């Protein structure tokens, strides 16, 4: 209606009537007809709809206290009950990456390790098998890097070819954590490959990251017809022409490319992919070398050279449309992924990329220097004021960025943004955060999101941020705010864990995040870097990592933690202090 109350809703409408769905043009005609002929009825239904929706939203949270061990066990049971043993992932087609479920499984693995070894091992196996399945499947762009939105089939083969920044960001974190737990070079390399793609194709020259690349693109240089996946698919003849018949045969064998195309009919109902191939890792280097009776190193060289040749050829095709707006929330996720990867893999460039993105947001997506966060920016123009998720995701990224490079300005900004988020979105009476701020124009409903879908919910991320900031800065009030979120969504945590994996992970940190690692000394010293590598190399989901620089930054951190003020190098050497609940062991220098 003109005052924005909904009276009809839907998800997807094809352009024309098709397959039992009303076409969009037909729908518009019908809506116009109803508006003219039954306006009073429309207004009454709209009013009733909004009232009922708000009543549902106000009553959906059923505050109660929950047992942490029971929540983790329920999460494990739910995820293992829907796990695809053959292909990895959860449920049937279509299959989505959903990295928050994978990173939760890593935490379940660590939590159960001392209590139930078999369940602990299986939690890790489910996550790693899924990461490997996606990396071998067509959902991964084997030529240019990065991951498509989801797989339309259950095999990770034929994707919806759109690429989203939030998927790349969260998958970087998932692959890095998989590497930290298993030591797998393959998983680390996938994380590096994602970052290389994002840096090459999704980065603004000044440091921010673009939102997405479309699934559709023009089929040829005439730019008369678009088709889904046109930029990414290959015929067998094209591969042979580019690589030569001998190398082409090897490449096609390894990547499952067939003369008649490799899309199953059920994955291509409209026939757009007929006769073409979406590359996936059909055969390993070992099996390919055995089949062609060639040395594995030679096979590996042929495949790597082939991917580079195809990338160069593909760059001459019409590219999919780039959604070049820079969204605060998704950049926050990317900052987190880059910071985590840079610290864990020892890649300083990744931390630099994260710092440049953070500075971009600070300078261009804020009304004032670092405050008044805006939702997005494009061509020099910011859009509307930020939502709760923009604050939550950016705060999380800034905390990770501080822990990766120990620049305290990022931690200060995280604390400033948290205070701003509280002022704009916090329900001071019941706890939790509303999605939109109090003075958002045209806001029809007041919603507190908790569902962790393609992205974590703002409440899940806020609960983690509050707990981490409370542990870092010693602010008990923020820890209490986190507790109120868990209390507010207690029924969901207890009964519907699979819908809130990020909140379950935050809940687990709330109970177990008691460890502090404080590194004292000059962060530019090689000895300090050696200590930092030890702290960052394993997955330590219950730890916060702090820097005692002997100066202003240490004073800031020690405002509510006097013990930290006394931490210093030992005999002139950088030192590490391992603490539990602010009770510390003797420092070590090696």
């Amino acid at each position: 209606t003109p005052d924005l109350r909904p009276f009809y809703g839907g998800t997807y409408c094809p352009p024309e009537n098709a397959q039992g769905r009303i076409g969009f043009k037909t729908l518009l005609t019908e809506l116009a007809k109803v508006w003219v002929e039954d306006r009073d009825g429309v207004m009454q239904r709209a009013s009733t709809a909004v009232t009922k929706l708000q009543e549902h939203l106000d009553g959906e949270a059923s505050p109660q206290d929950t047992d942490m061990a029971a929540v983790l066990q329920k999460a494990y049971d739910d995820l293992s009950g829907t796990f695809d043993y053959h292909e990895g992932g959860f449920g049937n087609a279509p299959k989505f990456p959903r990295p928050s479920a994978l990173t939760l499984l890593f935490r379940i693995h660590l939590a159960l390790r001392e209590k139930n070894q078999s369940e602990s091992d299986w939690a890790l196996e489910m996550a790693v098998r899924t990461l490997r399945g996606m990396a071998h499947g067509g959902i991964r762009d084997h030529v240019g890097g990065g991951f498509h939105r989801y797989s339309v089939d259950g095999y990770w083969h034929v994707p919806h070819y759109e690429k989203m920044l939030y998927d790349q960001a969260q998958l970087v974190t998932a692959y890095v954590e998989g590497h930290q737990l298993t030591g797998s070079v393959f998983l680390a390399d996938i994380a590096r490959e994602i970052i290389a793609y994002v840096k090459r194709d999704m980065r603004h020259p000044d440091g921010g990251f673009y939102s997405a690349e479309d699934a559709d693109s023009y089929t040829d240089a005439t730019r008369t017809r678009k088709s889904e996946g046109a930029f990414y698919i290959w015929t067998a003849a094209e591969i042979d022409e580019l690589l030569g018949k001998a190398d082409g045969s090897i490449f096609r064998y390894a990547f499952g490319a067939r003369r008649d195309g490799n899309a199953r009919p059920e994955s291509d109902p409209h026939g757009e992919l007929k006769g073409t191939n979406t590359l996936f890792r059909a055969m390993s280097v070992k099996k390919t070398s055995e089949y062609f009776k060639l040395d594995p190193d030679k096979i590996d060289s042929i495949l790597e050279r082939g991917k580079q040749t195809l990338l160069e050829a593909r760059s001459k095709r019409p590219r999919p449309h780039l959604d070049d707006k820079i969204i605060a929330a998704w950049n926050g996720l990317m900052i987190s992924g880059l910071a985590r990867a840079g610290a864990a893999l020892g890649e300083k460039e990744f931390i630099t990329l994260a710092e440049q993105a953070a500075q971009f947001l600070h300078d261009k997506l804020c009304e004032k220097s670092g405050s008044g966060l805006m939702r997005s920016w494009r061509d020099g123009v910011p859009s509307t004021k930020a939502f709760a998720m923009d604050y939550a995701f950016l705060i999380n990224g800034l905390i990770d960025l501080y822990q990766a490079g120990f620049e305290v300005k990022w931690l200060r900004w995280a604390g400033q943004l948290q205070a701003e988020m509280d002022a704009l979105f916090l329900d001071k009476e019941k706890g939790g955060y509303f999605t939109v701020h109090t003075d958002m124009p045209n806001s029809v409903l007041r919603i507190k999101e908790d569902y962790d879908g393609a992205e974590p919910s703002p409440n899940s991320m806020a609960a983690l941020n509050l707990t981490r900031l409370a542990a870092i800065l010693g602010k008990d009030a923020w820890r209490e705010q986190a507790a109120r979120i868990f209390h507010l969504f207690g029924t969901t945590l207890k009964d519907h864990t699979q819908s809130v994996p990020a909140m379950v992970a935050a809940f687990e940190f709330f109970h177990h995040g008691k460890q502090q690692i404080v590194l004292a000394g000059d962060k530019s010293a090689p000895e300090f870097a050696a200590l930092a590598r030890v702290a960052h190399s394993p997955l330590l989901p219950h730890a916060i990592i702090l820097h005692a620089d002997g100066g202003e930054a240490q004073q800031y951190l020690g405002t509510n933690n006097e013990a930290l003020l006394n931490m210093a190098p030992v005999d002139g050497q950088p030192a590490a202090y391992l603490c539990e609940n602010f009770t510390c062991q003797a420092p070590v220098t090696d």
Side-chain angles (χ1 to χ4, degrees), residues 48 117 157 167 237 267 290 330 348 371:
T48 301
Q117 189 66 46
H157 179 204
D167 283 324
S267 301
E290 291 171 352
W330 301 356
K348 289 185 178 179
S371 65

Side-chain angles (χ1 to χ4, degrees), residues 363-586:
D363 296 344
K364 298 185 186 297
L365 272 83
C366 293
E367 292 179 307
K368 299 177 183 178
S369 180
S371 65
L373 186 65
M374 305 299 284
R375 168 67 175 166
S376 66
W377 179 99
R378 183 179 182 274
D379 278 351
V381 181
S383 66
T384 186
K385 291 183 178 180
F387 299 137
M389 69 162 52
D390 296 298
Y391 280 88
F393 293 3
L394 178 53
I395 291 165
N396 178 67
L398 292 173
I399 296 171
D400 284 336
L401 184 52
Y402 164 72
Q403 293 194 132
F406 303 113
E407 287 287 345
V408 76
K409 68 177 183 179
W410 304 124
L411 184 60
R412 284 184 178 275
W413 191 25
Q416 176 186 333
L417 288 173
Q418 186 61 59
E420 196 170 298
M421 182 180 179
D422 291 351
L424 291 170
F425 304 96
L426 180 64
D427 183 344
K428 295 178 175 61
E429 180 182 344
K430 298 180 180 179
Y433 291 87
F434 293 111
T435 298
V436 300
H437 53 76
T438 50
D439 61 347
M440 173 70 79
N442 306 320
S443 177
V444 179
L445 296 167
R446 294 286 278 166
I447 300 172
K448 293 178 188 173
E449 294 181 74
D450 63 348
Y451 177 67
D452 300 320
E455 309 159 71
S457 77
N459 277 290
S460 296
M461 190 66 83
L464 179 61
N465 293 342
L466 289 163
T467 308
R468 294 171 82 194
L469 286 171
I472 292 170
L473 300 175
K475 292 194 175 184
D476 293 338
W478 277 345
R479 182 174 175 84
E480 178 57 31
Q481 280 177 216
R484 294 186 74 193
I485 292 174
F486 299 131
H487 184 63
L488 182 69
F489 296 106
T491 298
T492 306
L493 276 170
K494 180 182 176 183
D495 299 332
H496 307 288
T497 54
Q498 197 167 0
S499 68
V500 288
M503 188 173 289
V504 174
F507 191 52
E508 201 259 349
F509 181 82
F510 181 84
H511 284 275
H512 287 154
K514 314 292 186 184
Q515 188 179 72
Q516 302 92 30
I517 299 171
V518 183
L519 305 179
D522 178 3
K523 67 180 181 181
S524 66
E527 296 84 359
F528 184 96
L531 294 176
R533 277 197 300 273
V534 173
H536 284 130
S537 294
L539 178 60
L540 302 174
H542 303 143
I544 58 169
I545 305 175
L546 306 175
H547 177 214
D549 67 343
E552 182 267 341
Q554 188 168 355
Q555 290 293 322
Y556 171 69
L557 290 169
T559 302
N560 297 303
N561 177 13
E562 292 186 5
L564 196 143
L565 295 174
N566 299 319
M567 297 180 185
V570 176
D571 297 329
Q573 292 292 309
Y577 294 77
L578 181 62
C579 312
E580 296 278 347
N581 283 326
F582 301 100
T583 300
C584 303
Q585 301 175 18

Side-chain angles (χ1 to χ4, degrees), residues 281-296:
R281 201 57 191 263
M283 296 293 173
S284 66
V285 168
K286 183 175 184 293
K287 289 186 177 179
T288 306
S289 69
E290 291 171 352
Y291 183 83
F292 287 95
K293 296 181 173 56
L294 292 172
D295 184 78

Side-chain angles (χ1 to χ4, degrees), residues 6-232:
F7 66 92
Y8 176 86
T11 52
Y12 171 75
C13 296
E16 308 291 345
N17 296 346
Q19 298 178 336
R21 287 193 176 116
I22 187 172
F24 191 59
K25 286 181 280 189
T26 303
L27 174 61
L28 294 179
T29 302
E30 290 297 315
L31 290 175
K33 181 180 177 182
V34 170
W35 181 248
V36 170
E37 297 179 357
D38 186 24
R39 187 170 305 190
D40 290 343
V42 166
M43 298 302 288
Q44 183 178 357
R45 289 193 293 275
S47 180
T48 301
V50 170
T51 300
K52 292 295 184 184
L53 284 168
Q54 191 63 63
E55 287 175 356
H56 170 73
L57 292 169
D58 291 342
E60 68 178 359
S62 179
Q64 60 174 277
D65 295 317
T66 49
D67 176 67
M68 194 278 297
V71 168
L72 280 187
Q73 187 63 50
K74 180 72 162 60
Y76 171 84
D77 293 341
D78 287 349
L79 288 167
S80 61
T82 60
F83 182 68
D84 184 337
Y85 289 73
H86 298 288
E87 307 295 339
F90 304 91
N92 302 313
K95 271 188 180 169
F96 291 80
R98 208 176 181 204
S100 58
L102 303 179
T103 54
L104 173 59
L105 282 170
F106 292 144
R107 284 145 183 78
I108 292 173
H109 158 69
L110 293 172
L112 296 179
R113 190 161 53 182
E114 296 179 2
K115 299 178 181 179
N116 190 320
Q117 189 66 46
S118 62
E119 288 188 344
S120 171
D121 291 345
W122 186 238
L124 179 62
E125 176 64 18
M126 284 190 286
V128 171
R129 190 177 297 186
T130 299
L131 289 171
R132 289 184 175 275
M134 290 192 299
H136 290 311
I139 191 174
R140 172 184 163 209
D141 179 0
H142 290 267
V143 171
F147 282 78
H148 300 295
R149 182 67 199 90
Y150 61 86
S151 169
V152 302
D153 52 49
Y155 313 101
W156 301 115
H157 179 204
V158 176
H160 173 51
Y161 294 88
E162 186 177 29
K163 286 181 174 179
M164 307 298 297
L165 180 65
Y166 59 72
D167 283 324
Q168 317 310 320
Q170 294 176 92
L171 284 169
V172 166
T173 296
Y175 277 98
V176 166
E177 290 194 350
H179 162 74
Q180 287 176 300
L181 282 173
T182 65
S184 167
V185 174
F186 175 73
L187 297 181
D189 285 345
I190 298 299
R192 291 188 175 96
E193 182 186 275
I194 297 170
I195 293 171
Y197 156 68
V198 170
K199 178 187 174 184
R200 184 188 69 236
D201 292 340
M202 297 192 75
R203 183 175 180 271
H204 187 282
D206 293 337
F209 294 100
Y210 303 130
S211 297
E213 289 192 293
D214 279 1
D216 297 358
S217 58
Y218 289 107
T219 56
D220 55 43
T222 65
R223 295 181 175 267
T224 55
R225 187 177 72 88
K226 282 188 173 183
S227 177
E228 173 154 357
F231 185 71
Y232 300 101

